[in-house]
């Protein structure tokens, strides 16, 4: 309008719009976190028995997982695209698990190096559009490192090969005996301390507004929960454990 000076200031977002945006971001973060938790728990029930029966086909299943993830990542719907990106990260964890449990399961010291085969690629992906994929893979790898580290410190890892090589009728008892060692004062203290530190890290990650950090928190927390269930199964129902 003539005589009225132009206003070049960008209008502030209305409170309702800010609230809606905040709720949308929270919803996205929770959805991604739930998906990440599911993908961490899934191998326990699906991959473990599959790899024992047919490791080659389980490893080959990585290809359709990766292709599906790449296709979905190109979808115009942001929710579908995020799901595809997450699936790409999951395919890396899936392949690492298949390679170790299928052919190298008698060598526990090889566990972490084999699972970490895509570590450099994931580090580079943190600054790209594949940030969610990289976050999931790295968080899962960190959970694996913590688990293996505690097993080594507490002395449980020395029973690894014995349990896997034991006859079917003896393996549950040997696994139970190994789990009972964790309940001794010193190993139990180390286990509880490691769990507390990991939970603290998860809590810190969860408070970050970036969904990638929340995804990492969810993946690590689920790994901790799965480890707890595995220990409980080894103590009270070792025949149901996914290790034997």
């Amino acid at each position: 309008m003539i005589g009225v000076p132009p206003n070049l200031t960008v209008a502030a977002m209305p409170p309702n719009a800010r609230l809606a945006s905040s709720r949308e971001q929270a919803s996205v973060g929770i959805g991604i976190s739930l998906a990440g938790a599911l993908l961490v728990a899934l191998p326990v029930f699906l991959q473990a028995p599959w790899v024992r029966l047919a490791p080659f086909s389980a490893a080959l299943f990585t290809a359709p997982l990766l292709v599906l993830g790449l296709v979905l990542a190109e979808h115009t719907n942001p929710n579908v695209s995020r799901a595809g990106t997450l699936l790409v990260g999951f395919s890396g964890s899936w392949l690492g698990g298949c390679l170790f449990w299928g052919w190298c399961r008698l060598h526990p010291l090889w566990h972490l190096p084999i699972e970490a085969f895509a570590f450099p690629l994931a580090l580079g992906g943190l600054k790209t559009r594949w940030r969610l994929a990289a976050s999931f893979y790295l968080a899962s790898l960190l959970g694996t490192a913590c688990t293996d580290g505690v097993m080594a410190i507490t002395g449980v890892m020395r029973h690894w090969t014995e349990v896997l090589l034991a006859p079917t009728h003896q393996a549950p008892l040997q696994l139970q005996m190994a789990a009972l060692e964790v309940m001794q004062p010193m190993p139990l203290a180390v286990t509880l301390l490691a769990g507390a530190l990991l939970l603290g890290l998860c809590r810190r990650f969860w408070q970050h507004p970036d969904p990638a950090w929340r995804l990492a928190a969810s993946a690590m927390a689920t790994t901790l929960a799965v480890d707890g269930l595995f220990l409980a199964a080894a103590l009270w129902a070792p025949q149901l454990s996914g290790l034997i």
Side-chain angles (χ1 to χ4, degrees):
M1 181 179 296
I2 299 177
V4 178
N7 184 5
L8 300 180
T9 303
V10 178
M13 182 182 295
N16 291 341
R18 289 199 300 268
L19 181 60
S21 177
S22 177
R23 287 177 177 175
E24 182 180 357
Q25 291 178 357
S27 177
V28 169
I30 292 175
I32 290 176
S33 300
L34 290 176
L38 177 63
L39 292 180
V40 170
L42 183 64
V44 177
F45 304 101
L46 177 61
Q47 186 183 32
W50 188 355
V51 169
R52 282 201 304 269
L53 295 174
F56 189 70
S57 64
L60 285 181
F61 186 64
T62 306
L65 280 176
L66 180 59
V67 171
L68 179 60
L70 293 174
V71 171
L72 293 179
E74 300 297 329
H75 202 280
T76 55
N77 186 316
N79 293 326
V80 176
S81 179
R82 281 189 290 265
T85 304
L86 180 57
L87 197 57
V88 170
F90 173 68
S91 65
S93 298
W94 178 277
L95 179 58
C98 289
L99 293 177
F100 175 77
W101 291 104
W103 292 277
C104 305
R105 62 200 307 251
L106 296 179
H107 307 282
L109 294 181
W110 295 4
H111 186 203
L112 189 60
I114 291 176
E115 293 273 7
F117 78 98
F119 180 75
L121 187 62
L123 279 182
L126 287 175
K127 296 183 179 181
T128 69
R129 56 170 295 196
W130 304 104
R131 180 175 174 79
L132 284 178
S135 297
F136 176 83
Y137 175 83
L138 292 174
S140 300
L141 187 62
L142 179 59
T144 299
C146 291
T147 300
D148 286 4
V150 170
M151 291 180 64
I153 293 173
T154 57
V156 174
M157 188 169 283
R158 69 176 184 272
H159 299 291
W160 185 303
T161 305
E162 297 174 3
V163 172
L164 293 179
L165 289 178
T168 305
H169 65 282
Q170 295 181 4
L173 179 59
Q174 293 199 15
L175 178 61
Q176 188 177 50
M177 292 175 62
L180 286 173
E181 290 193 13
V182 180
M183 306 309 293
Q184 298 300 315
M186 186 58 68
L188 183 60
V190 172
T191 302
L192 292 177
L193 177 60
L197 292 175
L198 194 58
L199 280 177
L201 190 62
C202 291
R203 182 179 180 182
R204 187 169 183 178
F205 283 4
W206 184 260
Q207 294 173 344
H208 199 286
D210 189 340
W213 288 85
R214 291 194 170 190
L215 173 62
S218 175
M220 290 190 297
T222 306
T223 300
L224 186 60
V226 169
D227 287 344
L229 288 174
F230 177 81
L231 177 59
L235 287 170
W236 292 293
Q239 68 277 7
L240 300 179
S241 171
L243 183 62
I244 57 178

